Short mmCIF file of all heavy atoms in Angstrom, two decimals:
data_model
loop_
_atom_site.label_atom_id
_atom_site.label_comp_id
_atom_site.label_asym_id
_atom_site.label_seq_id
_atom_site.Cartn_x
_atom_site.Cartn_y
_atom_site.Cartn_z
N ALA A 1 -26.11 183.09 43.26
CA ALA A 1 -27.22 184.02 43.06
C ALA A 1 -26.71 185.35 42.51
O ALA A 1 -27.36 185.98 41.66
CB ALA A 1 -27.97 184.24 44.38
N ALA A 2 -25.55 185.78 42.99
CA ALA A 2 -24.96 187.03 42.51
C ALA A 2 -24.56 186.91 41.04
O ALA A 2 -24.73 187.85 40.26
CB ALA A 2 -23.76 187.39 43.36
N ALA A 3 -24.00 185.76 40.66
CA ALA A 3 -23.62 185.56 39.26
C ALA A 3 -24.84 185.61 38.36
O ALA A 3 -24.81 186.19 37.26
CB ALA A 3 -22.89 184.23 39.10
N ALA A 4 -25.95 185.02 38.80
CA ALA A 4 -27.18 185.05 38.02
C ALA A 4 -27.71 186.48 37.88
O ALA A 4 -28.15 186.89 36.81
CB ALA A 4 -28.23 184.15 38.66
N ALA A 5 -27.65 187.24 38.97
CA ALA A 5 -28.10 188.63 38.92
C ALA A 5 -27.22 189.46 38.00
O ALA A 5 -27.71 190.30 37.24
CB ALA A 5 -28.10 189.23 40.33
N ALA A 6 -25.92 189.23 38.06
CA ALA A 6 -24.99 189.98 37.20
C ALA A 6 -25.19 189.61 35.73
O ALA A 6 -25.10 190.48 34.85
CB ALA A 6 -23.55 189.68 37.63
N ARG A 7 -25.46 188.34 35.46
CA ARG A 7 -25.71 187.92 34.08
C ARG A 7 -26.93 188.64 33.52
O ARG A 7 -26.92 189.13 32.38
CB ARG A 7 -25.91 186.41 34.02
CG ARG A 7 -26.24 185.90 32.63
CD ARG A 7 -26.33 184.39 32.57
NE ARG A 7 -27.44 183.85 33.35
CZ ARG A 7 -27.78 182.55 33.36
NH1 ARG A 7 -27.07 181.68 32.66
NH2 ARG A 7 -28.80 182.14 34.08
N ALA A 8 -27.99 188.72 34.32
CA ALA A 8 -29.20 189.42 33.88
C ALA A 8 -28.91 190.90 33.67
O ALA A 8 -29.36 191.51 32.69
CB ALA A 8 -30.31 189.23 34.91
N HIS A 9 -28.14 191.49 34.58
CA HIS A 9 -27.81 192.92 34.47
C HIS A 9 -26.99 193.20 33.21
O HIS A 9 -27.24 194.19 32.50
CB HIS A 9 -27.02 193.36 35.71
CG HIS A 9 -26.51 194.75 35.64
ND1 HIS A 9 -27.30 195.86 35.89
CD2 HIS A 9 -25.27 195.24 35.34
CE1 HIS A 9 -26.58 196.96 35.74
NE2 HIS A 9 -25.35 196.61 35.41
N ALA A 10 -26.02 192.32 32.92
CA ALA A 10 -25.13 192.53 31.77
C ALA A 10 -25.77 192.11 30.46
O ALA A 10 -25.30 192.49 29.38
CB ALA A 10 -23.83 191.75 31.99
N GLY A 11 -26.84 191.32 30.52
CA GLY A 11 -27.52 190.89 29.31
C GLY A 11 -26.72 189.90 28.49
O GLY A 11 -26.83 189.86 27.26
N VAL A 12 -25.90 189.06 29.15
CA VAL A 12 -25.11 188.06 28.43
C VAL A 12 -25.79 186.69 28.51
O VAL A 12 -26.67 186.47 29.33
CB VAL A 12 -23.68 187.98 28.99
CG1 VAL A 12 -22.97 189.31 28.82
CG2 VAL A 12 -23.68 187.56 30.46
N LYS A 13 -25.35 185.79 27.64
CA LYS A 13 -25.94 184.45 27.57
C LYS A 13 -25.06 183.38 28.19
O LYS A 13 -25.30 182.17 28.00
CB LYS A 13 -26.21 184.09 26.09
CG LYS A 13 -27.09 185.10 25.36
CD LYS A 13 -28.47 185.20 25.99
CE LYS A 13 -29.37 186.14 25.20
NZ LYS A 13 -30.68 186.32 25.86
N THR A 14 -24.07 183.78 28.94
CA THR A 14 -23.15 182.83 29.57
C THR A 14 -23.90 181.81 30.43
O THR A 14 -24.76 182.18 31.23
CB THR A 14 -22.15 183.59 30.46
OG1 THR A 14 -21.40 184.50 29.65
CG2 THR A 14 -21.20 182.63 31.17
N ARG A 15 -23.59 180.55 30.24
CA ARG A 15 -24.19 179.51 31.06
C ARG A 15 -23.55 179.53 32.45
O ARG A 15 -22.34 179.80 32.58
CB ARG A 15 -23.97 178.14 30.41
CG ARG A 15 -24.65 177.98 29.05
CD ARG A 15 -24.33 176.62 28.46
NE ARG A 15 -24.94 176.45 27.15
CZ ARG A 15 -24.84 175.34 26.42
NH1 ARG A 15 -24.16 174.30 26.88
NH2 ARG A 15 -25.42 175.27 25.24
N LEU A 16 -24.32 179.21 33.45
CA LEU A 16 -23.83 179.18 34.82
C LEU A 16 -23.83 177.74 35.33
O LEU A 16 -24.86 177.07 35.28
CB LEU A 16 -24.69 180.05 35.73
CG LEU A 16 -24.76 181.54 35.39
CD1 LEU A 16 -25.67 182.26 36.39
CD2 LEU A 16 -23.37 182.18 35.39
N VAL A 17 -22.68 177.31 35.79
CA VAL A 17 -22.55 175.97 36.37
C VAL A 17 -22.17 176.12 37.84
O VAL A 17 -21.14 176.70 38.18
CB VAL A 17 -21.48 175.14 35.63
CG1 VAL A 17 -21.26 173.80 36.35
CG2 VAL A 17 -21.91 174.90 34.19
N GLY A 18 -23.03 175.62 38.73
CA GLY A 18 -22.75 175.63 40.15
C GLY A 18 -21.85 174.46 40.52
O GLY A 18 -21.95 173.38 39.93
N VAL A 19 -20.98 174.70 41.49
CA VAL A 19 -20.02 173.68 41.89
C VAL A 19 -20.13 173.43 43.39
O VAL A 19 -20.01 174.37 44.19
CB VAL A 19 -18.58 174.11 41.55
CG1 VAL A 19 -17.60 172.98 41.88
CG2 VAL A 19 -18.46 174.52 40.09
N VAL A 20 -20.37 172.19 43.77
CA VAL A 20 -20.42 171.81 45.18
C VAL A 20 -19.29 170.83 45.48
O VAL A 20 -18.69 170.26 44.57
CB VAL A 20 -21.77 171.18 45.57
CG1 VAL A 20 -22.93 172.09 45.21
CG2 VAL A 20 -21.94 169.80 44.91
N SER A 21 -19.02 170.64 46.76
CA SER A 21 -18.08 169.60 47.16
C SER A 21 -18.78 168.24 47.09
O SER A 21 -19.95 168.11 47.48
CB SER A 21 -17.60 169.85 48.59
OG SER A 21 -16.89 168.72 49.07
N ALA A 22 -18.07 167.25 46.60
CA ALA A 22 -18.61 165.89 46.57
C ALA A 22 -18.80 165.34 47.98
O ALA A 22 -19.45 164.31 48.17
CB ALA A 22 -17.68 164.97 45.79
N HIS A 23 -18.26 166.06 48.97
CA HIS A 23 -18.38 165.66 50.37
C HIS A 23 -19.34 166.58 51.14
O HIS A 23 -19.34 166.58 52.37
CB HIS A 23 -17.00 165.67 51.02
CG HIS A 23 -15.93 165.10 50.13
ND1 HIS A 23 -15.85 163.75 49.83
CD2 HIS A 23 -14.93 165.70 49.43
CE1 HIS A 23 -14.83 163.55 49.00
NE2 HIS A 23 -14.27 164.71 48.74
N ALA A 24 -20.14 167.34 50.39
CA ALA A 24 -21.16 168.22 50.97
C ALA A 24 -22.16 168.53 49.86
O ALA A 24 -22.13 169.59 49.25
CB ALA A 24 -20.53 169.51 51.51
N THR A 25 -23.04 167.58 49.58
CA THR A 25 -23.82 167.62 48.34
C THR A 25 -25.25 168.14 48.51
O THR A 25 -26.11 167.89 47.66
CB THR A 25 -23.89 166.20 47.73
OG1 THR A 25 -24.48 165.31 48.70
CG2 THR A 25 -22.51 165.71 47.34
N ALA A 26 -25.52 168.89 49.57
CA ALA A 26 -26.90 169.32 49.83
C ALA A 26 -27.51 170.07 48.65
O ALA A 26 -28.66 169.81 48.25
CB ALA A 26 -26.95 170.19 51.09
N TYR A 27 -26.76 171.00 48.06
CA TYR A 27 -27.32 171.78 46.96
C TYR A 27 -27.47 170.96 45.68
O TYR A 27 -28.45 171.11 44.95
CB TYR A 27 -26.47 173.03 46.69
CG TYR A 27 -26.89 174.20 47.55
CD1 TYR A 27 -26.25 174.47 48.76
CD2 TYR A 27 -27.95 175.03 47.17
CE1 TYR A 27 -26.65 175.54 49.55
CE2 TYR A 27 -28.35 176.10 47.96
CZ TYR A 27 -27.70 176.34 49.15
OH TYR A 27 -28.11 177.40 49.95
N LEU A 28 -26.54 170.07 45.41
CA LEU A 28 -26.67 169.21 44.24
C LEU A 28 -27.85 168.27 44.41
O LEU A 28 -28.68 168.12 43.49
CB LEU A 28 -25.38 168.40 44.05
CG LEU A 28 -25.41 167.33 42.95
CD1 LEU A 28 -25.73 167.93 41.60
CD2 LEU A 28 -24.08 166.57 42.92
N ASP A 29 -27.97 167.64 45.57
CA ASP A 29 -29.08 166.73 45.83
C ASP A 29 -30.42 167.46 45.75
O ASP A 29 -31.40 166.94 45.21
CB ASP A 29 -28.93 166.08 47.21
CG ASP A 29 -27.68 165.23 47.34
OD1 ASP A 29 -27.10 164.87 46.29
OD2 ASP A 29 -27.28 164.94 48.48
N SER A 30 -30.45 168.67 46.28
CA SER A 30 -31.69 169.46 46.28
C SER A 30 -32.04 169.91 44.87
O SER A 30 -33.21 169.92 44.47
CB SER A 30 -31.52 170.68 47.20
OG SER A 30 -31.23 170.29 48.53
N TRP A 31 -31.03 170.31 44.10
CA TRP A 31 -31.25 170.73 42.71
C TRP A 31 -31.84 169.58 41.90
O TRP A 31 -32.76 169.76 41.11
CB TRP A 31 -29.92 171.19 42.12
CG TRP A 31 -29.97 171.71 40.72
CD1 TRP A 31 -30.50 172.89 40.29
CD2 TRP A 31 -29.44 171.05 39.55
NE1 TRP A 31 -30.33 173.01 38.92
CE2 TRP A 31 -29.68 171.91 38.45
CE3 TRP A 31 -28.78 169.85 39.34
CZ2 TRP A 31 -29.28 171.59 37.16
CZ3 TRP A 31 -28.38 169.53 38.04
CH2 TRP A 31 -28.64 170.39 36.97
N ARG A 32 -31.33 168.38 42.12
CA ARG A 32 -31.84 167.22 41.40
C ARG A 32 -33.24 166.82 41.87
O ARG A 32 -34.09 166.44 41.06
CB ARG A 32 -30.88 166.04 41.58
CG ARG A 32 -29.57 166.17 40.82
CD ARG A 32 -28.61 165.06 41.18
NE ARG A 32 -27.42 165.06 40.32
CZ ARG A 32 -26.32 164.34 40.56
NH1 ARG A 32 -26.27 163.55 41.63
NH2 ARG A 32 -25.29 164.40 39.74
N ALA A 33 -33.47 166.92 43.17
CA ALA A 33 -34.75 166.49 43.73
C ALA A 33 -35.87 167.49 43.51
O ALA A 33 -37.05 167.13 43.52
CB ALA A 33 -34.59 166.23 45.24
N GLY A 34 -35.50 168.76 43.32
CA GLY A 34 -36.51 169.80 43.16
C GLY A 34 -37.03 170.36 44.46
O GLY A 34 -37.97 171.14 44.49
#
């Protein structure tokens, strides 16, 4: 969330890729499920 806020503040177009552990996939599963 901080990286997204900083990107907006800086006005850059850098893509953001979130990284989770393959052994703790709650955020990946939630991102895919909506």
Side-chain angles (χ1 to χ4, degrees):
R7 178 176 66 175
H9 174 79
V12 298
K13 304 299 183 184
T14 300
R15 297 177 181 181
L16 299 179
V17 174
V19 184
V20 305
S21 170
H23 319 289
T25 58
Y27 273 95
L28 174 59
D29 297 343
S30 301
W31 182 72
R32 288 173 172 168

